[in-house]
Amino acid sequence: MQFDAIEPGVYPELIYPPYKSTAKRGPTQAPLRVRDETATGTNLFASPKLILPHDMDLTKQGKGEPLGEKIVVTGRVLDEDGKPVRNSLLEVWQCNAAGRYFHKKDQHDAPLDPNFTGFGKMLTDDDGRYRFVSIKPGPYPWGNHHKAWRPAHIHFSLFGNVYAQRLVTQMYFPNDPLFAYDPIFQSIPDEAARQRLISRFSLEETVDDKMLGYEFDIVLRGRNATPMGI
């Protein structure tokens, strides 16, 4: 595994002026490159004890059914060589169907759902596959610019099997009209890389008349790496 294995244009610039808060929190000095075999040679292990009941079904964490469109999301996590990333911790978080997060800092005018917190976690299997059940999130205003609304998305945090595979990103849904107006989505310079952030509708993964299915494969590093979400 190469140490520096990300193609140009896949990761966003740390300061991207259209995304206004990056100007305040982004570094103003050039980064220092650290070459250390530990990043690519040290194995990470996630214990199955980390996974609690209903962590993989976000619709079963309350006292009743949450409101909104029920969905199932699945996909494979692969390394830069196309090999499955096995037994790796994957965490997700999202807003509810009305576009509000279960967090005290989110006070915008949308209802909270007492039966939906929007947090989940799981381990990939021997084929690198993950699967979870949730509610399709709604778009929400975020105050970055006039009429600023985020496209519907789910946040993903992946730890991989070695330190260099760490990734935090976002999964979007097909054909969202807000893509062209969202500075976070547009911060990825390469168009092909942006498309890798969009899930695919899957009739095969759709569960009868209960929930629609979406597929979202994630590649940790390499030419076809999934972009980082800022």
Side-chain angles (χ1 to χ4, degrees):
M1 180 181 290
Q2 300 177 18
F3 183 81
D4 191 0
I6 303 298
E7 289 288 302
V10 172
Y11 280 4
E13 296 293 331
L14 297 177
I15 297 179
Y16 182 68
Y19 182 6
K20 294 180 180 178
S21 65
T22 63
K24 297 180 179 179
R25 69 189 189 197
T28 57
Q29 298 183 22
L32 297 176
R33 186 178 300 278
V34 178
R35 296 189 178 276
D36 190 340
E37 294 298 326
T38 301
T40 57
T42 301
N43 290 329
L44 301 178
F45 174 76
S47 171
K49 294 180 181 180
L50 291 172
I51 309 304
L52 303 176
H54 304 315
D55 272 351
M56 293 182 289
D57 189 342
L58 283 66
T59 70
K60 299 298 184 182
Q61 298 174 356
K63 295 181 179 180
E65 293 290 327
L67 298 175
E69 177 186 338
K70 198 170 183 179
I71 62 173
V72 57
V73 180
T74 186
R76 297 183 71 203
V77 181
L78 307 171
D79 68 15
E80 62 192 88
D81 298 318
K83 298 177 181 178
V85 178
R86 302 183 176 96
N87 192 48
S88 178
L89 180 63
L90 187 156
E91 299 172 323
V92 295
W93 66 97
Q94 61 170 92
C95 64
N96 63 23
R100 186 168 173 182
Y101 286 95
F102 197 82
H103 194 283
K104 63 182 180 181
K105 288 188 176 181
D106 189 347
Q107 297 294 321
H108 95 273
D109 189 17
L112 283 173
D113 187 337
N115 293 310
F116 188 76
T117 62
F119 300 100
K121 60 181 181 293
M122 63 220 73
L123 297 177
T124 56
D125 65 14
D126 287 341
D127 196 36
R129 183 166 292 277
Y130 69 91
R131 183 182 186 275
F132 67 95
V133 174
S134 191
I135 295 295
K136 187 174 182 181
Y140 59 83
W142 62 303
N144 184 77
H145 57 279
H146 185 54
K147 298 183 181 179
W149 284 76
R150 292 294 332 275
H153 61 279
I154 298 176
H155 298 267
F156 279 67
S157 170
L158 298 101
F159 289 86
N161 293 144
V162 294
Y163 289 111
Q165 291 177 336
R166 181 77 169 101
L167 177 68
V168 177
T169 191
Q170 300 180 21
M171 184 201 90
Y172 298 90
F173 293 85
N175 304 312
D176 196 310
L178 292 172
F179 287 154
Y181 307 100
D182 182 50
I184 295 180
F185 182 76
Q186 294 294 332
S187 69
I188 309 298
D190 183 71
E191 169 63 22
R194 287 200 294 271
Q195 293 302 311
R196 296 200 290 273
L197 291 174
I198 303 173
S199 61
R200 307 180 301 277
F201 169 72
S202 173
L203 190 61
E204 181 178 353
E205 296 296 338
T206 294
V207 180
D208 302 325
D209 60 351
K210 297 179 176 61
M211 60 187 98
L212 295 179
Y214 293 89
E215 290 185 297
F216 184 56
D217 295 332
I218 301 169
V219 179
L220 302 180
R221 296 167 55 82
R223 183 177 297 276
N224 296 312
T226 300
M228 181 180 293
I230 59 174

PDB file of all heavy atoms in Angstrom, residues 9 29 38 53 67-68 86 90 101 118 121-122 128 133 202 206 225:
ATOM      1  N   GLY A   9      -7.903  16.213  -6.748  1.00  0.00           N
ATOM      2  CA  GLY A   9      -9.287  16.568  -7.022  1.00  0.00           C
ATOM      3  C   GLY A   9     -10.314  15.778  -6.263  1.00  0.00           C
ATOM      4  O   GLY A   9     -11.502  16.087  -6.320  1.00  0.00           O
ATOM      5  N   GLN A  29      -1.428  27.812   6.817  1.00  0.00           N
ATOM      6  CA  GLN A  29      -0.065  27.452   6.448  1.00  0.00           C
ATOM      7  C   GLN A  29      -0.057  26.095   5.748  1.00  0.00           C
ATOM      8  O   GLN A  29      -0.953  25.273   5.940  1.00  0.00           O
ATOM      9  CB  GLN A  29       0.824  27.392   7.701  1.00  0.00           C
ATOM     10  CG  GLN A  29       0.940  28.728   8.418  1.00  0.00           C
ATOM     11  CD  GLN A  29       1.885  28.648   9.603  1.00  0.00           C
ATOM     12  OE1 GLN A  29       2.745  27.771   9.662  1.00  0.00           O
ATOM     13  NE2 GLN A  29       1.729  29.556  10.555  1.00  0.00           N
ATOM     14  N   THR A  38       3.718   3.404  10.187  1.00  0.00           N
ATOM     15  CA  THR A  38       2.650   3.046  11.116  1.00  0.00           C
ATOM     16  C   THR A  38       1.277   3.274  10.494  1.00  0.00           C
ATOM     17  O   THR A  38       0.339   2.502  10.720  1.00  0.00           O
ATOM     18  CB  THR A  38       2.767   3.872  12.408  1.00  0.00           C
ATOM     19  OG1 THR A  38       4.037   3.632  13.002  1.00  0.00           O
ATOM     20  CG2 THR A  38       1.669   3.509  13.392  1.00  0.00           C
ATOM     21  N   PRO A  53     -27.803  -3.597  20.500  1.00  0.00           N
ATOM     22  CA  PRO A  53     -29.063  -3.914  19.837  1.00  0.00           C
ATOM     23  C   PRO A  53     -29.651  -2.678  19.143  1.00  0.00           C
ATOM     24  O   PRO A  53     -29.662  -1.588  19.699  1.00  0.00           O
ATOM     25  CB  PRO A  53     -29.959  -4.385  20.988  1.00  0.00           C
ATOM     26  CG  PRO A  53     -29.002  -4.914  22.008  1.00  0.00           C
ATOM     27  CD  PRO A  53     -27.798  -4.032  21.911  1.00  0.00           C
ATOM     28  N   LEU A  67     -41.346   8.835  12.087  1.00  0.00           N
ATOM     29  CA  LEU A  67     -42.061   9.343  10.919  1.00  0.00           C
ATOM     30  C   LEU A  67     -41.117   9.435   9.730  1.00  0.00           C
ATOM     31  O   LEU A  67     -39.928   9.691   9.884  1.00  0.00           O
ATOM     32  CB  LEU A  67     -42.651  10.715  11.225  1.00  0.00           C
ATOM     33  CG  LEU A  67     -43.684  10.771  12.357  1.00  0.00           C
ATOM     34  CD1 LEU A  67     -44.080  12.216  12.631  1.00  0.00           C
ATOM     35  CD2 LEU A  67     -44.910   9.937  11.999  1.00  0.00           C
ATOM     36  N   GLY A  68     -41.651   9.240   8.527  1.00  0.00           N
ATOM     37  CA  GLY A  68     -40.852   9.425   7.327  1.00  0.00           C
ATOM     38  C   GLY A  68     -40.783   8.183   6.468  1.00  0.00           C
ATOM     39  O   GLY A  68     -41.378   7.133   6.780  1.00  0.00           O
ATOM     40  N   ARG A  86     -12.555  -5.705   5.951  1.00  0.00           N
ATOM     41  CA  ARG A  86     -13.339  -6.582   6.819  1.00  0.00           C
ATOM     42  C   ARG A  86     -13.317  -6.131   8.285  1.00  0.00           C
ATOM     43  O   ARG A  86     -12.361  -5.532   8.740  1.00  0.00           O
ATOM     44  CB  ARG A  86     -12.803  -8.017   6.732  1.00  0.00           C
ATOM     45  CG  ARG A  86     -12.799  -8.605   5.327  1.00  0.00           C
ATOM     46  CD  ARG A  86     -12.309 -10.050   5.367  1.00  0.00           C
ATOM     47  NE  ARG A  86     -12.382 -10.686   4.059  1.00  0.00           N
ATOM     48  CZ  ARG A  86     -11.367 -10.768   3.205  1.00  0.00           C
ATOM     49  NH1 ARG A  86     -10.192 -10.239   3.536  1.00  0.00           N
ATOM     50  NH2 ARG A  86     -11.513 -11.372   2.045  1.00  0.00           N
ATOM     51  N   LEU A  90     -18.015   1.191  11.202  1.00  0.00           N
ATOM     52  CA  LEU A  90     -18.642   2.218  10.382  1.00  0.00           C
ATOM     53  C   LEU A  90     -19.742   2.858  11.217  1.00  0.00           C
ATOM     54  O   LEU A  90     -20.582   2.156  11.779  1.00  0.00           O
ATOM     55  CB  LEU A  90     -19.207   1.569   9.111  1.00  0.00           C
ATOM     56  CG  LEU A  90     -19.780   2.449   8.008  1.00  0.00           C
ATOM     57  CD1 LEU A  90     -19.717   1.709   6.669  1.00  0.00           C
ATOM     58  CD2 LEU A  90     -21.223   2.849   8.289  1.00  0.00           C
ATOM     59  N   TYR A 101     -31.701  17.698  13.241  1.00  0.00           N
ATOM     60  CA  TYR A 101     -30.852  16.774  13.983  1.00  0.00           C
ATOM     61  C   TYR A 101     -31.301  16.674  15.444  1.00  0.00           C
ATOM     62  O   TYR A 101     -31.796  17.643  16.026  1.00  0.00           O
ATOM     63  CB  TYR A 101     -29.393  17.230  13.954  1.00  0.00           C
ATOM     64  CG  TYR A 101     -28.704  17.019  12.634  1.00  0.00           C
ATOM     65  CD1 TYR A 101     -28.637  18.044  11.690  1.00  0.00           C
ATOM     66  CD2 TYR A 101     -28.131  15.799  12.316  1.00  0.00           C
ATOM     67  CE1 TYR A 101     -28.009  17.857  10.471  1.00  0.00           C
ATOM     68  CE2 TYR A 101     -27.483  15.596  11.103  1.00  0.00           C
ATOM     69  CZ  TYR A 101     -27.432  16.633  10.185  1.00  0.00           C
ATOM     70  OH  TYR A 101     -26.811  16.435   8.985  1.00  0.00           O
ATOM     71  N   GLY A 118     -31.197   9.272  14.982  1.00  0.00           N
ATOM     72  CA  GLY A 118     -30.359   9.424  13.794  1.00  0.00           C
ATOM     73  C   GLY A 118     -28.931   8.945  13.946  1.00  0.00           C
ATOM     74  O   GLY A 118     -28.066   9.339  13.163  1.00  0.00           O
ATOM     75  N   LYS A 121     -24.373   2.408  14.195  1.00  0.00           N
ATOM     76  CA  LYS A 121     -23.019   1.903  13.928  1.00  0.00           C
ATOM     77  C   LYS A 121     -23.095   0.422  13.610  1.00  0.00           C
ATOM     78  O   LYS A 121     -24.052  -0.277  13.987  1.00  0.00           O
ATOM     79  CB  LYS A 121     -22.076   2.170  15.104  1.00  0.00           C
ATOM     80  CG  LYS A 121     -22.429   1.558  16.424  1.00  0.00           C
ATOM     81  CD  LYS A 121     -21.393   1.963  17.465  1.00  0.00           C
ATOM     82  CE  LYS A 121     -21.658   1.358  18.834  1.00  0.00           C
ATOM     83  NZ  LYS A 121     -22.890   1.879  19.464  1.00  0.00           N
ATOM     84  N   MET A 122     -22.058  -0.058  12.918  1.00  0.00           N
ATOM     85  CA  MET A 122     -22.042  -1.453  12.487  1.00  0.00           C
ATOM     86  C   MET A 122     -20.621  -1.843  12.124  1.00  0.00           C
ATOM     87  O   MET A 122     -19.739  -0.987  11.996  1.00  0.00           O
ATOM     88  CB  MET A 122     -22.969  -1.646  11.284  1.00  0.00           C
ATOM     89  CG  MET A 122     -22.539  -0.868  10.054  1.00  0.00           C
ATOM     90  SD  MET A 122     -23.917  -0.112   9.147  1.00  0.00           S
ATOM     91  CE  MET A 122     -24.396   1.267  10.230  1.00  0.00           C
ATOM     92  N   GLY A 128     -16.727  -7.238   3.247  1.00  0.00           N
ATOM     93  CA  GLY A 128     -16.646  -5.787   3.319  1.00  0.00           C
ATOM     94  C   GLY A 128     -17.991  -5.104   3.250  1.00  0.00           C
ATOM     95  O   GLY A 128     -18.065  -3.882   3.076  1.00  0.00           O
ATOM     96  N   VAL A 133     -30.820   0.071   8.424  1.00  0.00           N
ATOM     97  CA  VAL A 133     -32.174   0.552   8.132  1.00  0.00           C
ATOM     98  C   VAL A 133     -32.341   1.919   8.781  1.00  0.00           C
ATOM     99  O   VAL A 133     -31.886   2.152   9.905  1.00  0.00           O
ATOM    100  CB  VAL A 133     -33.228  -0.438   8.671  1.00  0.00           C
ATOM    101  CG1 VAL A 133     -34.639   0.120   8.511  1.00  0.00           C
ATOM    102  CG2 VAL A 133     -33.090  -1.777   7.954  1.00  0.00           C
ATOM    103  N   SER A 202     -31.750   0.983  -5.579  1.00  0.00           N
ATOM    104  CA  SER A 202     -31.645  -0.443  -5.873  1.00  0.00           C
ATOM    105  C   SER A 202     -32.985  -1.122  -5.651  1.00  0.00           C
ATOM    106  O   SER A 202     -33.450  -1.234  -4.500  1.00  0.00           O
ATOM    107  CB  SER A 202     -30.574  -1.099  -4.990  1.00  0.00           C
ATOM    108  OG  SER A 202     -30.580  -2.502  -5.161  1.00  0.00           O
ATOM    109  N   THR A 206     -34.479  -3.170  -2.289  1.00  0.00           N
ATOM    110  CA  THR A 206     -35.776  -2.740  -1.778  1.00  0.00           C
ATOM    111  C   THR A 206     -36.480  -3.922  -1.115  1.00  0.00           C
ATOM    112  O   THR A 206     -36.485  -5.035  -1.642  1.00  0.00           O
ATOM    113  CB  THR A 206     -36.636  -2.179  -2.930  1.00  0.00           C
ATOM    114  OG1 THR A 206     -36.025  -0.973  -3.413  1.00  0.00           O
ATOM    115  CG2 THR A 206     -38.055  -1.876  -2.479  1.00  0.00           C
ATOM    116  N   ALA A 225     -11.002   6.601  -4.900  1.00  0.00           N
ATOM    117  CA  ALA A 225     -11.342   6.853  -3.507  1.00  0.00           C
ATOM    118  C   ALA A 225     -12.633   7.647  -3.392  1.00  0.00           C
ATOM    119  O   ALA A 225     -12.937   8.532  -4.196  1.00  0.00           O
ATOM    120  CB  ALA A 225     -10.209   7.597  -2.817  1.00  0.00           C
TER     121      ALA A 225
END
